[in-house]
Amino acid sequence: MNDKTQLKRASKLGVIFYSCGDLASQFVWTFIGSYLTIFYTDIVGLAPAAAAAIMMIARVWDAVNDPMMGAIAERTRSKLGRFRPYILFGSPLLAIFSVLCFTHPFEGSSTAGVIYAAVTYIITGMLYTLVNIPYGALASVMTEDAEQRNQINASRNVGMNVGILIVNGITANIMLFFSGKGAEVANGNGYFMTALVYAIISIPCFLAVFFTSKEQVVPEVTKEKFSLTATISGLVKNKNLMILLVIMILQMAAWMGRIGVVIYYIMYCLGSFTLIPVIMLAPSVCGIVSSLLVPKVMSKLGKRVTLQIAVTCQGLALLAMYFTPFDNLTLIIIESGLVGFFNVSFPCSLSLLGDAIDYNEYKTGIRNDGIAYATYGLAQKLGNAIGASVGVLLLAAFGYVANAQQTPETLHGINMVVNLMPAIIFFLTAIFAFTWRLKDSEADEVRAKLHERKSKENIE
């Protein structure tokens, strides 16, 4: 095994401030994921089918755009590094377009309205890719120490949960404030101004990552020209990465997909727009607590087992919520808290992603951080789009009518979409995770051999 004192490590500030990147992402992407669907249907007036189509078209493009961005980032050579420049220059653009998503200069049902919504959403997704794939890839190049990599990913999870805590806790009140005195439901101005506030906050958060991070793991210079075919071929041949891609898509479909439709459950099943912060704060608070524990748990149980336990418990909590009467708010809040407490599977999958990158470099001599982390961004957006688009189509099938009293059948349908379906997907995630065969000890040995190989090359 390698001597850890010789490994290149990230600074303490780098580990701590790495969390700010995911904090910023929640202000932008979680706000979009949580509120854009209902903004489209209830404010803009888009038909559920149109909203679903926009999201799915955007994700089809991401299947090409995300790995392409990963490959471009990997081939970037600058004084600022391979990945950090994109965070510096991309975050202001992402902030601008995240605000444009919540504007509607054309009538929603018109062709111009649908096109405008599609264009702004697709460009925002591309800019999110531009910033977040390099941000995610930083975790594997900031340190050679596997334990510190776990700490970095746990730090990211803390940032994610703090961001979700803030977005879930104050968004509804901010939107009502900007909607005018006495407003009981947010209007278009409420959505727009809230998006603007979050966009402004996100920029310095991303910049904090840029200024405190350092790329320690530097690959050999490649003179290969970018080839989309070769890039996708390289991804498909990485067996560990493909297994993890399925795991992450399932995770994201359950978690991010649910975020995209949970507002309907709170507004219509529980009966109040003002209950949004109450119901959504519980998982955020509990998630922050569990994020602090996850590095030690992963060290003792292993990454895969920790992931399986986490998603299984999330599924059980959502299954219980599905059977809980709508008027039992105390129990619903407790169940929501449990869903958040066990939301520690993301740092597990991110650490497994680092193992897959190291293993592929050991076997092929090629280190593909950017392309590999593109799969995480793709999984995140695919999961959100699948959950939100399929969810909103199912709501329409169950008879959902915007801004109206829903029938008992529709309320039951909303409950199924928001709670039962994600529970089933979480259970499927736990089962599929058994296909991951790379043990933590084997990954440690791979890193030791890589370090030894690079040390010999430097001497020569």
Side-chain angles (χ1 to χ4, degrees):
M1 297 297 290
N2 54 322
D3 183 0
K4 288 191 175 185
T5 60
Q6 297 179 2
L7 296 178
K8 295 179 180 178
R9 293 169 55 86
S11 67
K12 290 183 178 179
L13 276 181
V15 174
I16 294 171
F17 280 99
Y18 187 76
S19 63
C20 291
D22 222 299
L23 174 65
S25 296
Q26 305 319 309
F27 289 132
V28 174
W29 202 247
T30 292
F31 178 63
I32 287 175
S34 297
Y35 290 94
L36 189 60
T37 304
I38 201 163
F39 174 78
Y40 280 163
T41 59
D42 288 25
I43 302 298
V44 178
L46 289 181
I54 289 171
M55 292 181 179
M56 289 310 299
I57 291 171
R59 299 297 77 85
V60 170
W61 167 240
D62 283 336
V64 175
N65 178 56
D66 284 23
M68 183 168 63
M69 180 61 221
I72 292 171
E74 282 179 2
R75 287 161 173 76
T76 298
R77 296 294 181 269
S78 75
K79 293 181 180 179
L80 299 177
R82 290 186 294 162
F83 306 120
R84 293 170 66 240
Y86 296 100
I87 297 173
L88 175 64
F89 299 112
S91 53
L93 294 174
L94 174 60
I96 291 170
F97 273 86
S98 68
V99 176
L100 292 179
C101 279
F102 289 94
T103 59
H104 53 110
F106 307 100
E107 183 183 350
S109 58
S110 67
T111 302
V114 174
I115 292 174
Y116 178 83
V119 170
T120 52
Y121 181 62
I122 290 171
I123 292 177
T124 303
M126 291 174 65
L127 290 170
Y128 183 79
T129 294
L130 179 72
V131 174
N132 268 263
I133 286 177
Y135 165 67
L138 270 176
S140 65
V141 299
M142 286 172 63
T143 180
E144 293 180 323
D145 186 350
E147 290 185 9
Q148 191 179 46
R149 188 178 292 171
N150 290 342
Q151 293 171 4
I152 290 171
N153 287 323
S155 175
R156 177 177 186 172
N157 207 50
V158 171
M160 179 185 74
N161 280 292
V162 170
I164 293 173
L165 172 68
I166 296 171
V167 172
N168 290 343
I170 67 175
T171 295
N173 291 330
I174 293 177
M175 289 197 295
L176 289 177
F177 173 79
F178 285 116
S179 295
K181 189 175 181 180
E184 296 183 359
V185 178
N187 59 24
N189 189 63
Y191 282 91
F192 171 79
M193 290 301 298
T194 305
L196 180 61
V197 170
Y198 287 154
I200 292 171
I201 296 173
S202 72
I203 297 174
C205 290
F206 277 123
L207 293 182
V209 178
F210 170 80
F211 285 113
T212 59
S213 63
K214 183 179 180 181
E215 298 181 28
Q216 302 277 16
V217 181
V218 181
E220 294 181 3
V221 177
T222 177
K223 295 182 179 179
E224 282 184 52
K225 292 183 178 180
F226 171 73
S227 167
L228 180 61
T229 303
T231 296
I232 295 176
S233 176
L235 285 174
V236 173
K237 289 179 181 177
N238 189 333
K239 181 182 176 182
N240 291 319
L241 190 59
M242 289 298 98
I243 291 172
L244 197 55
L245 175 62
V246 176
I247 290 173
M248 290 189 297
I249 288 176
L250 290 172
Q251 281 178 285
M252 294 296 183
W255 177 258
M256 294 297 295
R258 183 176 186 269
I259 286 176
V261 291
V262 70
I263 304 299
Y264 293 92
Y265 173 77
I266 299 173
M267 286 182 62
Y268 294 104
C269 294
L270 304 186
S272 175
F273 188 87
T274 55
L275 278 175
I276 292 174
V278 178
I279 301 300
M280 297 180 73
L281 267 178
S284 304
V285 173
C286 294
I288 293 173
V289 175
S290 61
S291 294
L292 301 175
L293 305 174
V294 70
K296 290 185 178 179
V297 176
M298 278 197 288
S299 296
K300 289 190 176 182
L301 300 181
K303 304 181 189 78
R304 191 202 72 185
V305 174
T306 303
L307 184 150
Q308 289 176 302
I309 292 173
V311 294
T312 300
C313 290
Q314 284 182 291
L316 291 172
L318 287 173
L319 188 62
M321 196 182 303
Y322 170 71
F323 288 108
T324 302
F326 298 149
D327 59 355
N328 193 341
L329 292 179
T330 301
L331 185 55
I332 289 173
I333 292 171
I334 293 172
E335 291 160 346
S336 296
L338 289 173
V339 174
F341 182 82
F342 289 103
N343 188 38
V344 296
S345 58
F346 293 118
C348 298
S349 58
L350 284 168
S351 292
L352 290 174
L353 186 56
D355 292 348
I357 294 170
D358 291 336
Y359 185 82
N360 190 63
E361 182 184 12
Y362 175 68
K363 288 293 185 181
T364 67
I366 300 172
R367 187 170 185 89
N368 53 0
D369 306 89
I371 299 172
Y373 274 91
T375 63
Y376 179 80
L378 179 61
Q380 185 177 30
K381 289 188 283 189
L382 270 176
N384 180 264
I386 291 170
S389 59
V390 173
V392 77
L393 286 176
L394 287 175
L395 293 183
F398 284 122
Y400 171 76
V401 178
N403 303 308
Q405 181 70 38
Q406 310 301 322
T407 66
E409 292 77 15
T410 301
L411 294 177
H412 177 68
I414 293 173
N415 191 20
M416 286 182 61
V417 170
V418 173
N419 295 317
L420 182 60
M421 286 176 54
I424 293 171
I425 298 173
F426 274 131
F427 294 143
L428 290 175
T429 307
I431 294 171
F432 188 81
F434 279 110
T435 60
W436 179 267
R437 299 297 185 185
L438 182 61
K439 297 180 180 178
D440 290 1
S441 57
E442 293 173 342
D444 288 338
E445 291 177 8
V446 164
R447 274 183 287 272
K449 292 176 181 178
L450 280 174
H451 182 76
E452 183 180 350
R453 180 194 294 174
K454 291 178 181 179
S455 296
K456 289 182 179 178
E457 289 174 354
N458 291 333
I459 292 174
E460 294 173 358

